[in-house]
């Protein structure tokens, strides 16, 4: 990068990365962007069936997603999810489609892809554009095909916490050459020729150093997934037999997974609440967090113009899961230490309840 004196503006490392990602996702076009958020904003802006309409999305997902729709000039419209896959429920979406609908933004979950076929069918019959937030679907497959080739486009992140780490960054995959061209233009201020713009674009270019980091990470992708899988198995072994706890499985159904998360489910017969357990974990310096909680329609930043629908499955699941510490900084054996902590919580629940209530009413 330094020898070439080329730091940004669609440099050779960005183009190399795009080509490698085309192979990984088995798609003809990849457009690298500065982060997934900007990729999603540009896509929504370009594809919205009508400006100012509704972007259908789940409320059981990343907290920033509705903000991105608003940056694209759209209104979030939340729909419910499927209880088993945690992915957007096609029936809930079908019921929400109206003249106001601008697009469907379906989100792949780490433990399950979306109901891709159902959404592609719904998009074809309703004429509503379909895109996927595939940030947690990197390296995964749907019906044997890599995620990345579905809908009009899919968006991935290269953030440091994601499977492919470019420090920051993101990319859009698509089978549509015309759309890829528009996205390339839009990520570069909308410029088509020296100083001439074809619309309101922005600066969403990925620079060379982030592309270099992502390329280095791509080289080690298989090893990364293997280590994720080993941690997931170590967690599964360690938590086996603790009454009142379960975890989200990666189904053994021939699909490929990235094993990014270990999601612990706190059942009603565990003697502490999910939030109490998280507080205890945090007190022991374990980087655990409530998973997708509160759901986005309950967020304090949910604007007044977004109606608060009944989302019973979302509401229930948002109270149950803990995203347990994962990633390369987890030391071998940490999974067992964390499982022991849960056994301790189970064994000392009355004392823990007493301590919590004494703190509430000192
Ligand atoms: C589901 C989902 N979508 C989008 C994003 C935004 O990605 P980025 O940080 O690359 O903008 C995230 C980030 O965590 C995410 O989890």
């Amino acid at each position: 990068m330094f020898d070439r004196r080329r730091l940004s503006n669609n440099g050779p490392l960005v183009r190399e990365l795009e080509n490698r990602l085309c192979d990984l996702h088995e798609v003809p076009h990849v457009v690298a962007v500065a982060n997934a958020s900007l990729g999603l904003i540009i896509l929504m802006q370009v594809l919205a069936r009508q400006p100012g309409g509704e972007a259908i999305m789940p409320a059981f997902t990343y907290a920033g997603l509705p903000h991105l729709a608003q940056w694209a000039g759209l209104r979030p419209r939340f729909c419910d999810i499927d209880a088993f896959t945690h992915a957007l429920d096609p029936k809930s979406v079908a019921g929400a489609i109206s003249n106001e609908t601008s697009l469907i933004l379906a989100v792949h979950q780490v433990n399950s892809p979306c109901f891709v076929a159902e959404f592609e069918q719904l998009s074809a019959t309703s004429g509503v554009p379909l895109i996927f937030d595939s940030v947690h679907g990197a390296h995964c497959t749907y019906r044997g095909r890599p995620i990345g080739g579905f809908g009009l486009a899919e968006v991935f992140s290269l953030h440091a916490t994601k499977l492919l780490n470019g420090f920051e960054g993101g990319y859009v995959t698509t089978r549509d050459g015309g759309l890829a061209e528009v996205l390339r233009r839009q990520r570069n201020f909308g410029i088509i020729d020296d100083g001439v713009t074809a619309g309101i674009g922005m600066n969403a270019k990925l620079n060379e150093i982030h592309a270099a980091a992502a390329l280095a990470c791509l080289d080690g992708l298989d090893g990364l997934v293997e280590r994720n899988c080993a941690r997931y198995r170590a967690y599964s072994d360690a938590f086996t037999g603790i009454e009142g706890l379960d975890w989200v499985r990666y189904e053994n159904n021939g699909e490929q997974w990235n094993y990014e998360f270990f999601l612990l489910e706190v059942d009603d017969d565990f003697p502490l609440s999910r939030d109490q357990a998280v507080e205890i974990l945090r007190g022991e310096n374990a980087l655990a967090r409530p998973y997708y909680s509160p759901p986005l329609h309950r967020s304090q930043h949910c604007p007044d113009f977004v109606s608060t629908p009944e989302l019973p499955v979302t509401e229930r699941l948002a109270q149950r899961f803990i995203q347990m510490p994962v990633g390369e900084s987890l030391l071998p054996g940490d999974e067992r230490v964390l499982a022991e902590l849960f056994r301790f919580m189970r064994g000392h629940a009355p004392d823990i309840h007493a301590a919590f209530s004494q703190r509430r009413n000192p």
Side-chain angles (χ1 to χ4, degrees):
M1 182 187 88
F2 288 114
D3 288 348
R4 286 171 177 147
R5 304 179 69 78
R6 184 68 183 267
L7 306 183
S8 189
N9 286 6
N10 200 24
L13 289 171
V14 163
R15 279 178 272 129
E16 185 183 337
L17 176 66
E18 289 178 338
N19 288 336
R20 294 267 308 268
L21 292 169
C22 282
D23 293 342
L24 184 76
H25 293 284
E26 297 176 16
V27 290
H29 310 283
V30 167
V31 181
V33 284
N35 53 58
S37 299
L38 287 170
L40 281 162
I41 293 171
I42 294 175
L43 248 192
M44 287 195 262
Q45 214 176 33
V46 165
L47 291 177
R49 189 164 66 154
Q50 53 178 335
E54 291 180 344
I56 290 182
M57 63 178 70
F60 190 67
T61 182
Y62 168 59
L65 215 55
H67 309 176
L68 305 183
Q70 288 168 257
W71 279 108
L74 302 177
R75 283 170 287 140
R77 166 76 192 246
F78 296 116
C79 286
D80 214 354
I81 51 170
D82 171 72
F84 182 68
T85 60
H86 303 180
L88 200 55
D89 178 357
K91 285 196 289 307
S92 177
V93 172
I97 288 179
S98 71
N99 291 338
E100 292 282 295
T101 311
S102 285
L103 55 82
I104 300 168
L105 171 56
V107 182
H108 296 299
Q109 297 285 23
V110 70
N111 56 303
S112 173
C114 283
F115 294 94
V116 172
E118 289 80 351
F119 282 123
E120 288 191 332
Q121 175 70 26
L122 192 57
S123 170
T125 51
S126 64
V128 176
L130 169 67
I131 60 174
F132 293 98
D133 177 323
S134 309
V135 165
H136 295 296
H139 188 76
C140 303
T141 54
Y142 170 80
R143 296 189 181 171
R145 274 173 55 199
I147 285 180
F150 302 106
L152 291 173
E154 305 202 39
V155 181
F156 296 82
S157 175
L158 296 171
H159 184 260
T161 55
K162 302 300 181 296
L163 188 71
L164 265 182
N165 177 0
F167 312 159
E168 289 275 2
Y171 59 97
V172 183
T173 56
T174 179
R175 303 191 160 275
D176 182 335
L179 177 59
E181 204 174 307
V182 172
L183 295 174
R184 288 183 199 287
R185 189 183 78 208
Q186 290 303 93
R187 77 175 170 185
N188 185 30
F189 306 98
I191 291 173
I192 42 172
D193 212 347
D194 243 358
V196 182
T197 54
I200 299 176
M202 63 156 76
N203 182 358
K205 287 172 275 125
L206 187 72
N207 64 45
E208 290 287 273
I209 198 152
H210 291 122
L215 278 165
C217 195
L218 250 184
D219 288 340
L221 185 61
D222 290 341
L224 254 174
V225 173
E226 266 169 38
R227 291 193 294 282
N228 279 355
C229 183
R231 276 187 290 268
Y232 165 75
R233 290 196 203 291
Y235 261 127
S236 307
D237 289 346
F239 277 82
T240 295
I242 307 181
E243 214 181 312
L245 296 179
D246 203 349
W247 59 92
V248 170
R249 316 291 159 132
Y250 296 94
E251 272 195 280
N252 194 5
N253 59 1
E255 300 293 0
Q256 191 166 282
W257 307 105
N258 61 30
Y259 302 97
E260 216 186 342
F261 290 163
F262 185 75
L263 300 172
L264 197 63
E265 183 170 10
V266 181
D267 291 337
D268 296 336
D269 50 355
F270 192 74
L272 302 184
S273 71
R274 187 273 311 267
D275 290 344
Q276 286 173 325
V278 169
E279 199 174 331
I280 291 168
L281 287 163
R282 300 295 290 216
E284 298 293 331
N285 287 327
L287 206 69
R289 55 168 66 105
Y291 182 61
Y292 295 149
S293 180
L296 304 184
H297 62 304
R298 300 277 176 223
S299 154
Q300 56 177 336
H301 301 297
C302 186
D304 291 342
F305 60 73
V306 177
S307 62
T308 310
E310 293 282 310
L311 302 175
V313 182
T314 299
E315 301 266 0
R316 190 165 60 79
L317 296 193
Q319 291 174 26
R320 294 177 77 82
F321 290 98
I322 302 176
Q323 188 177 331
M324 294 296 283
V326 287
E328 304 280 45
S329 55
L330 207 67
L331 300 174
D334 278 354
E335 300 88 351
R336 266 186 288 114
V337 174
L338 291 164
E340 271 319 304
L341 186 54
F342 275 89
R343 287 195 176 87
F344 179 89
M345 291 184 216
R346 241 208 111 78
H348 295 79
D351 295 342
I352 295 172
H353 278 298
F356 270 118
S357 68
Q358 200 190 1
R359 204 184 48 183
R360 263 199 317 274
N361 312 302

